[in-house]
Amino acid sequence: MAAYSLAALLLLTSGLGSVRCLDTNNNNDNDNNNNGVPAEPPNPAGPKAAEPPAREAPPAAAGASPPRRAPGWRLADEEVCRDDLSRLCPKHTWSNNLAVLECLQDRRQETEIATECNHLLWNYKLNLTVDVKLESVALDVCRSSLSEIKECNEEERGRGLLVSCLVDHRGNISEYQCSQYITKMTGIIFSDYRLICGFMDRCRDDINALHCGSVSVGHKDVHSQGEVISCLEKALVREAEQQDRAHPIREECKKAILRVAELSSDDFHLDRHLYFSCRDDRERFCQNMQAGEGKVYKCLFNHKFEEAMSEKCRDALTTRQKLISQDYRVSYSLAKACKLDLRKQRCSLDASLPRAREARLSYLLLCLEAAVHRGRPVSGECQGEMLDYRRMLMEDFSLSPEIVLHCRGEIEAHCSGLHRKGRTLHCLMRAGRGERSGTVDSLCQSALQALVQAADPGADYRIDRALNEACESVIQTACKHIRSGDPMILSCLVEHLYTEKMAEDCEHRLLELQYFISRDWKLDPLLYRKCQGDAARLCHTHGWNDTSDLMPPGAVFSCLYRHAYRTEEQGRRVPTSSLTKHSLSRDCKMEVQRILHQRALDVKLDPELQKRCMTDLGKWCSDKTDTGQELECLQDHLEDLVSSCRDVVGNLTELESEDIQIEALLIRACEPVIQAHCHDVADNQVDTGDLMECLVQNKHQKEMNEKCSVGVTHFQLVQMKDFRFSYKFKMACKEDVLRLCPNIKKKVDVVLCLSSAVRNDTLQEAREQRVSLKCRKQLRVEELEMSEDIRLEPDLYDSCKSDISRLCSSVAFGNAQMIECLKEQKKLLSVRCRQKIFRLQEEEMSDPELDYQLMRVCKQMIKRFCTEADTRNVLQCLKQNKNSELMDPKCKQMITKRQITQNTDYRLNPVLRKACHADIPKFCQAVLNQASEDSELEGQVVACLKLKYTDQISRLCAEEAAAQEQSGQVQECLKYNLLKIKQDTCKKEVLNMLKESKADIFVDPVLHTACALDLKHHCAAIPPGRGRQMSCLIEALQDKRIRLQPECKKRLQDRIEMWSYAAKVAPAEGFLDLVLQVMASPSKNYMILVLALSVCMLFLVGLLCGRITKRVTRELKDRLQPLGRQKKSV
């Protein structure tokens, strides 16, 4: 093939053939335009009225058939263009007609060129496009390319369609000269819409209807013809956004507009309006960017929101982007990069579907994203282009016609003035989350959801420019170990919500985006990748972008969640084979847990919860706006919620009890105590309630902070509402509850029901306990936890609320402090509260392990002195070791308090009660008759069962009978009747009480009450314990100068007598005790004499026995000697 210079190829001066032009139809439609005619005849002179009167058109411009030029003819030689040429074009270009043409036609619109020169240029370009010699030149310079491009090689020769086909396929041309030739021809053609074959025929009516400009040269300057196409493009965009319904563009013109945009997609010079609008911006931002392959377009797109970008260029770029969103082929780079991938993934156009749908950018992105998510190969070049255009969609909301159409009101109301860098979109997202007044229309919400799906920012956070800029510092600190662009970065950011590392602006942008991602499980790439197989198997889902799924996207995650935690159903165990069949894979379950952890951070990230609880959130929780408060509020008002919301909140709470790490905020707050005390259970991959149990047990450790303590206590309070909210208790006792307590739901009632069953079986000595062993063990744990905070026993708390506010308002909840305060103020309590406290004390005294304060304060002493003691005898063991030198003072003080409590009522002293079960009714029945049913309850039943054989009633202590709680009167009665008690065990317990009261006056409530004033006046400086205050009172009694209160004096004299009685009847506990008792006895001389006589008698008897045994031995020896001699002689 001969070599040609480009200028030589285009300097055509021969006669013109039949008129042909560039076809705007698709290749498949070329045959439909064989008879096309040019938009203008060869004579484009136009009406005379359009000509400047002072100047005449040159012959070349006015003739109907311009004369043939000599081979050496140049545009620079024409008189009509000489002035413009010398003014606007460099001199070295004058010898090349093509260079002159490019120089003059690329001038700014405001640069005036003589009308005659314009017409000359028009005719010259028209001659170039319609000359049949162009076809022969193309056949020569593009011979190799034609052999590769079958569509163009098959075009019929001589009809002017070959150049049109080559322009259409210029992206596939590899020959340099052919590429240059076609590129220059394209530039000539696109400089004026009238040179594009068929465009005028299809769009003439629309141009006139929309007032987009004149269709004749004389009415409008040639350089403004790009404005006509721009006008049509803007009208097409407005129609897509349904902003202009008065003049709908005809379908054939729509195709022509998009086709022109597509053909001009590789070189921004071909979009005349954009070229003139952005020439300065191109020099400013993309000076070194070579034209071709859409590179300048992309460069300008990337700088669209720069402050230095002119508004005129920004508008032109936005129009171009909107056309791309309607037809992806308007983007040269995207169409070229993804051409093969579209075929592989079957995303190409389907003749059976509307072209508008499949040509849309969103359709292409969804189809290719689906392939990426399914793990199918998509070229890196195509993915790079997809990333650019996904970012483009997120940056400018106006590129999505659905958002412009359906969110117009929301944008005007909430987001005016925020049109850059994705701010409007995030503003709409924020409104969609409900963070602004008013609600977002459902159509707008759907449009936002569709845009997020098309852009798929979950796969790469960088797509969301607003999020990327806001979170850059957080990513550099908290997520720097993750590769840039990895989907894990978004997950990492969510995990750092509400932490010190999180920036406020990043937090807002992240929650706005995550709100929409959480509503479609497919938008979380990590979840989709791990769970797509499980979702298809268990939830009957299909492709990533398939809309024919049996359940909506939001319901798929609920389906996965149910199968992730499917262990038991309605108390019946699921068969292992069925469980395996219907359970999730390990990787999928871990992803489901990750999503649950993230959703627990904010109610709005849980679509189902927000949907069903919207009304209740407004009704009960409108003032709960801080982090995590909304869910806590819903849990606090669980009984008040509507049924659908109550079910969702209940299910979530039940799930949290199984895996408390879902409560990410609580886990963060409790990190110190977890590391110090619970790290072994926290490291378990599967949490079965162990971590929460550990936190409860260590709630009062020094590492426990206020946030963690409040969170743990709140969860304990929520657990009281339903036994299912305690996972370990539910799993251990589920079958027992269904069998023994079938209609009970509240945990406190279930615990009471099961405890009653255990106690009754124990008292009746049943052969087999009705409550299973594993349930009894967990039941014990629950009882111990409930004893720590009065709020965990709702019945007691409700009964004492007014007393708490009146008497203990300054005391903090927890650590059993409130219960201890009420015990100390027992005499001032209301009747109902006093009854409840008395019952509680009765239970604690019968089972000291339930006495939280005693077990806490004396924990180390119990380990030291009572390791072998039964838990029900712990207090008795501590009392026995109370005066040990190793006893902790605080524990000793707590033991004294409990002794005082025991001595106020015999029912609070189980050892005494058991030892004296026969003697108490014998001597104190009158006191028992005064006790009401409310004050005794269970104690009456037990007493009745044990004392049913008693039929004799003693009146010895009738006058001491008191009311509900006898303040030690029963014990007082027993002391006075000490010598009449027959049972040794009861007598021993009464003696112990007397001994204890002698050591500490506080354990003798009757004496302490009587002598309180005298203690204050005469013994205030004497510390309690070791009998010091009692000795002080006795000395005061013996001192005639001191006058004690009459009641104190009487009681004190009685005690001295009782101690003397006790000394007489109390058994000696050891040899030393025996010696002391003998020496203290008035008959000690007599006892010593008897002892001496006894010893002497024993001595005499021993002496006598020794003499007798000695004589017998000698006689036997004498008898045996003769026998021995006889044996020897024999």
mmCIF file of all heavy atoms in Angstrom, residues 790 793-804 822 830-837:
data_model
loop_
_atom_site.group_PDB
_atom_site.id
_atom_site.type_symbol
_atom_site.label_atom_id
_atom_site.label_comp_id
_atom_site.label_asym_id
_atom_site.label_seq_id
_atom_site.Cartn_x
_atom_site.Cartn_y
_atom_site.Cartn_z
ATOM 1 N N ILE A 790 -31.672 -5.610 94.656
ATOM 2 C CA ILE A 790 -33.099 -5.697 94.975
ATOM 3 C C ILE A 790 -33.959 -5.581 93.727
ATOM 4 O O ILE A 790 -35.070 -6.113 93.662
ATOM 5 C CB ILE A 790 -33.479 -4.594 95.994
ATOM 6 C CG1 ILE A 790 -34.898 -4.835 96.535
ATOM 7 C CG2 ILE A 790 -33.332 -3.208 95.389
ATOM 8 C CD1 ILE A 790 -35.273 -3.898 97.659
ATOM 9 N N GLU A 793 -35.374 -8.704 92.078
ATOM 10 C CA GLU A 793 -36.529 -9.349 92.686
ATOM 11 C C GLU A 793 -37.690 -8.358 92.610
ATOM 12 O O GLU A 793 -37.944 -7.601 93.553
ATOM 13 C CB GLU A 793 -36.229 -9.748 94.122
ATOM 14 C CG GLU A 793 -35.084 -10.738 94.249
ATOM 15 C CD GLU A 793 -34.973 -11.328 95.643
ATOM 16 O OE1 GLU A 793 -36.011 -11.746 96.187
ATOM 17 O OE2 GLU A 793 -33.852 -11.351 96.163
ATOM 18 N N PRO A 794 -38.380 -8.313 91.492
ATOM 19 C CA PRO A 794 -39.383 -7.280 91.236
ATOM 20 C C PRO A 794 -40.455 -7.176 92.315
ATOM 21 O O PRO A 794 -40.897 -6.072 92.648
ATOM 22 C CB PRO A 794 -39.985 -7.708 89.884
ATOM 23 C CG PRO A 794 -38.927 -8.535 89.244
ATOM 24 C CD PRO A 794 -38.223 -9.229 90.359
ATOM 25 N N ASP A 795 -40.880 -8.301 92.874
ATOM 26 C CA ASP A 795 -41.934 -8.263 93.890
ATOM 27 C C ASP A 795 -41.460 -7.500 95.128
ATOM 28 O O ASP A 795 -42.175 -6.645 95.665
ATOM 29 C CB ASP A 795 -42.332 -9.694 94.258
ATOM 30 C CG ASP A 795 -43.583 -9.729 95.110
ATOM 31 O OD1 ASP A 795 -44.415 -8.809 94.973
ATOM 32 O OD2 ASP A 795 -43.741 -10.668 95.912
ATOM 33 N N LEU A 796 -40.247 -7.794 95.570
ATOM 34 C CA LEU A 796 -39.677 -7.089 96.715
ATOM 35 C C LEU A 796 -39.434 -5.623 96.385
ATOM 36 O O LEU A 796 -39.727 -4.734 97.200
ATOM 37 C CB LEU A 796 -38.368 -7.774 97.123
ATOM 38 C CG LEU A 796 -37.546 -7.104 98.225
ATOM 39 C CD1 LEU A 796 -38.340 -7.036 99.520
ATOM 40 C CD2 LEU A 796 -36.220 -7.839 98.428
ATOM 41 N N TYR A 797 -38.916 -5.360 95.204
ATOM 42 C CA TYR A 797 -38.610 -3.981 94.804
ATOM 43 C C TYR A 797 -39.878 -3.135 94.722
ATOM 44 O O TYR A 797 -39.912 -1.990 95.220
ATOM 45 C CB TYR A 797 -37.878 -4.000 93.470
ATOM 46 C CG TYR A 797 -37.480 -2.646 92.952
ATOM 47 C CD1 TYR A 797 -36.710 -1.785 93.738
ATOM 48 C CD2 TYR A 797 -37.867 -2.213 91.690
ATOM 49 C CE1 TYR A 797 -36.337 -0.529 93.272
ATOM 50 C CE2 TYR A 797 -37.493 -0.970 91.216
ATOM 51 C CZ TYR A 797 -36.734 -0.124 92.007
ATOM 52 O OH TYR A 797 -36.378 1.107 91.547
ATOM 53 N N ASP A 798 -40.915 -3.671 94.113
ATOM 54 C CA ASP A 798 -42.169 -2.922 94.001
ATOM 55 C C ASP A 798 -42.775 -2.649 95.376
ATOM 56 O O ASP A 798 -43.361 -1.580 95.599
ATOM 57 C CB ASP A 798 -43.160 -3.693 93.127
ATOM 58 C CG ASP A 798 -42.715 -3.781 91.680
ATOM 59 O OD1 ASP A 798 -41.888 -2.943 91.284
ATOM 60 O OD2 ASP A 798 -43.176 -4.692 90.954
ATOM 61 N N SER A 799 -42.642 -3.596 96.298
ATOM 62 C CA SER A 799 -43.216 -3.428 97.634
ATOM 63 C C SER A 799 -42.469 -2.374 98.436
ATOM 64 O O SER A 799 -43.053 -1.758 99.340
ATOM 65 C CB SER A 799 -43.182 -4.761 98.397
ATOM 66 O OG SER A 799 -43.924 -5.758 97.716
ATOM 67 N N CYS A 800 -41.214 -2.156 98.132
ATOM 68 C CA CYS A 800 -40.376 -1.264 98.947
ATOM 69 C C CYS A 800 -39.956 0.011 98.227
ATOM 70 O O CYS A 800 -39.068 0.727 98.722
ATOM 71 C CB CYS A 800 -39.131 -2.015 99.415
ATOM 72 S SG CYS A 800 -39.472 -3.427 100.489
ATOM 73 N N LYS A 801 -40.539 0.321 97.078
ATOM 74 C CA LYS A 801 -40.117 1.499 96.318
ATOM 75 C C LYS A 801 -40.240 2.775 97.134
ATOM 76 O O LYS A 801 -39.333 3.608 97.178
ATOM 77 C CB LYS A 801 -40.936 1.613 95.024
ATOM 78 C CG LYS A 801 -40.299 0.949 93.834
ATOM 79 C CD LYS A 801 -41.082 1.244 92.563
ATOM 80 C CE LYS A 801 -40.380 0.630 91.358
ATOM 81 N NZ LYS A 801 -41.130 0.884 90.101
ATOM 82 N N SER A 802 -41.386 2.958 97.764
ATOM 83 C CA SER A 802 -41.596 4.180 98.541
ATOM 84 C C SER A 802 -40.638 4.242 99.725
ATOM 85 O O SER A 802 -40.117 5.320 100.058
ATOM 86 C CB SER A 802 -43.047 4.243 99.026
ATOM 87 O OG SER A 802 -43.354 3.105 99.835
ATOM 88 N N ASP A 803 -40.371 3.114 100.359
ATOM 89 C CA ASP A 803 -39.435 3.090 101.493
ATOM 90 C C ASP A 803 -38.018 3.394 101.036
ATOM 91 O O ASP A 803 -37.248 4.040 101.753
ATOM 92 C CB ASP A 803 -39.488 1.719 102.175
ATOM 93 C CG ASP A 803 -40.874 1.392 102.713
ATOM 94 O OD1 ASP A 803 -41.195 1.849 103.811
ATOM 95 O OD2 ASP A 803 -41.621 0.688 102.012
ATOM 96 N N ILE A 804 -37.664 2.917 99.850
ATOM 97 C CA ILE A 804 -36.321 3.187 99.317
ATOM 98 C C ILE A 804 -36.130 4.686 99.112
ATOM 99 O O ILE A 804 -35.110 5.262 99.507
ATOM 100 C CB ILE A 804 -36.105 2.412 98.003
ATOM 101 C CG1 ILE A 804 -35.982 0.910 98.285
ATOM 102 C CG2 ILE A 804 -34.854 2.910 97.277
ATOM 103 C CD1 ILE A 804 -35.954 0.055 97.034
ATOM 104 N N LEU A 822 -32.407 -1.412 103.947
ATOM 105 C CA LEU A 822 -33.779 -1.692 104.370
ATOM 106 C C LEU A 822 -33.799 -2.571 105.623
ATOM 107 O O LEU A 822 -34.663 -2.396 106.498
ATOM 108 C CB LEU A 822 -34.540 -2.375 103.230
ATOM 109 C CG LEU A 822 -34.811 -1.501 101.996
ATOM 110 C CD1 LEU A 822 -35.421 -2.337 100.881
ATOM 111 C CD2 LEU A 822 -35.717 -0.332 102.330
ATOM 112 N N SER A 830 -42.672 0.337 105.761
ATOM 113 C CA SER A 830 -44.107 0.110 105.629
ATOM 114 C C SER A 830 -44.409 -1.364 105.895
ATOM 115 O O SER A 830 -43.526 -2.220 105.819
ATOM 116 C CB SER A 830 -44.572 0.511 104.232
ATOM 117 O OG SER A 830 -43.920 -0.275 103.249
ATOM 118 N N VAL A 831 -45.662 -1.642 106.223
ATOM 119 C CA VAL A 831 -46.035 -2.999 106.609
ATOM 120 C C VAL A 831 -45.685 -3.996 105.513
ATOM 121 O O VAL A 831 -45.077 -5.046 105.771
ATOM 122 C CB VAL A 831 -47.539 -3.066 106.942
ATOM 123 C CG1 VAL A 831 -47.967 -4.495 107.250
ATOM 124 C CG2 VAL A 831 -47.862 -2.146 108.112
ATOM 125 N N ARG A 832 -46.064 -3.676 104.302
ATOM 126 C CA ARG A 832 -45.839 -4.613 103.189
ATOM 127 C C ARG A 832 -44.355 -4.856 102.947
ATOM 128 O O ARG A 832 -43.910 -5.995 102.779
ATOM 129 C CB ARG A 832 -46.491 -4.071 101.925
ATOM 130 C CG ARG A 832 -46.466 -5.054 100.770
ATOM 131 C CD ARG A 832 -47.079 -4.434 99.544
ATOM 132 N NE ARG A 832 -46.976 -5.296 98.378
ATOM 133 C CZ ARG A 832 -47.165 -4.889 97.134
ATOM 134 N NH1 ARG A 832 -47.484 -3.627 96.897
ATOM 135 N NH2 ARG A 832 -47.048 -5.734 96.124
ATOM 136 N N CYS A 833 -43.565 -3.786 102.959
ATOM 137 C CA CYS A 833 -42.124 -3.913 102.726
ATOM 138 C C CYS A 833 -41.485 -4.678 103.878
ATOM 139 O O CYS A 833 -40.604 -5.527 103.663
ATOM 140 C CB CYS A 833 -41.488 -2.534 102.584
ATOM 141 S SG CYS A 833 -39.704 -2.572 102.308
ATOM 142 N N ARG A 834 -41.930 -4.403 105.115
ATOM 143 C CA ARG A 834 -41.358 -5.086 106.274
ATOM 144 C C ARG A 834 -41.616 -6.588 106.198
ATOM 145 O O ARG A 834 -40.749 -7.400 106.542
ATOM 146 C CB ARG A 834 -41.957 -4.498 107.542
ATOM 147 C CG ARG A 834 -41.275 -4.994 108.803
ATOM 148 C CD ARG A 834 -41.794 -4.267 110.011
ATOM 149 N NE ARG A 834 -41.149 -4.719 111.227
ATOM 150 C CZ ARG A 834 -41.410 -4.234 112.434
ATOM 151 N NH1 ARG A 834 -42.308 -3.281 112.562
ATOM 152 N NH2 ARG A 834 -40.777 -4.707 113.487
ATOM 153 N N GLN A 835 -42.807 -6.950 105.751
ATOM 154 C CA GLN A 835 -43.122 -8.370 105.592
ATOM 155 C C GLN A 835 -42.207 -9.031 104.571
ATOM 156 O O GLN A 835 -41.699 -10.139 104.783
ATOM 157 C CB GLN A 835 -44.585 -8.537 105.180
ATOM 158 C CG GLN A 835 -45.569 -8.146 106.261
ATOM 159 C CD GLN A 835 -46.990 -8.109 105.746
ATOM 160 O OE1 GLN A 835 -47.224 -8.265 104.543
ATOM 161 N NE2 GLN A 835 -47.941 -7.913 106.647
ATOM 162 N N LYS A 836 -41.977 -8.318 103.449
ATOM 163 C CA LYS A 836 -41.117 -8.887 102.402
ATOM 164 C C LYS A 836 -39.676 -9.033 102.900
ATOM 165 O O LYS A 836 -39.007 -10.030 102.613
ATOM 166 C CB LYS A 836 -41.153 -7.995 101.158
ATOM 167 C CG LYS A 836 -42.523 -7.888 100.510
ATOM 168 C CD LYS A 836 -42.937 -9.186 99.869
ATOM 169 C CE LYS A 836 -44.268 -9.028 99.141
ATOM 170 N NZ LYS A 836 -44.729 -10.303 98.566
ATOM 171 N N ILE A 837 -39.193 -8.024 103.631
ATOM 172 C CA ILE A 837 -37.827 -8.090 104.153
ATOM 173 C C ILE A 837 -37.696 -9.227 105.159
ATOM 174 O O ILE A 837 -36.684 -9.945 105.191
ATOM 175 C CB ILE A 837 -37.434 -6.742 104.792
ATOM 176 C CG1 ILE A 837 -37.286 -5.671 103.709
ATOM 177 C CG2 ILE A 837 -36.144 -6.865 105.586
ATOM 178 C CD1 ILE A 837 -36.154 -5.902 102.732
#
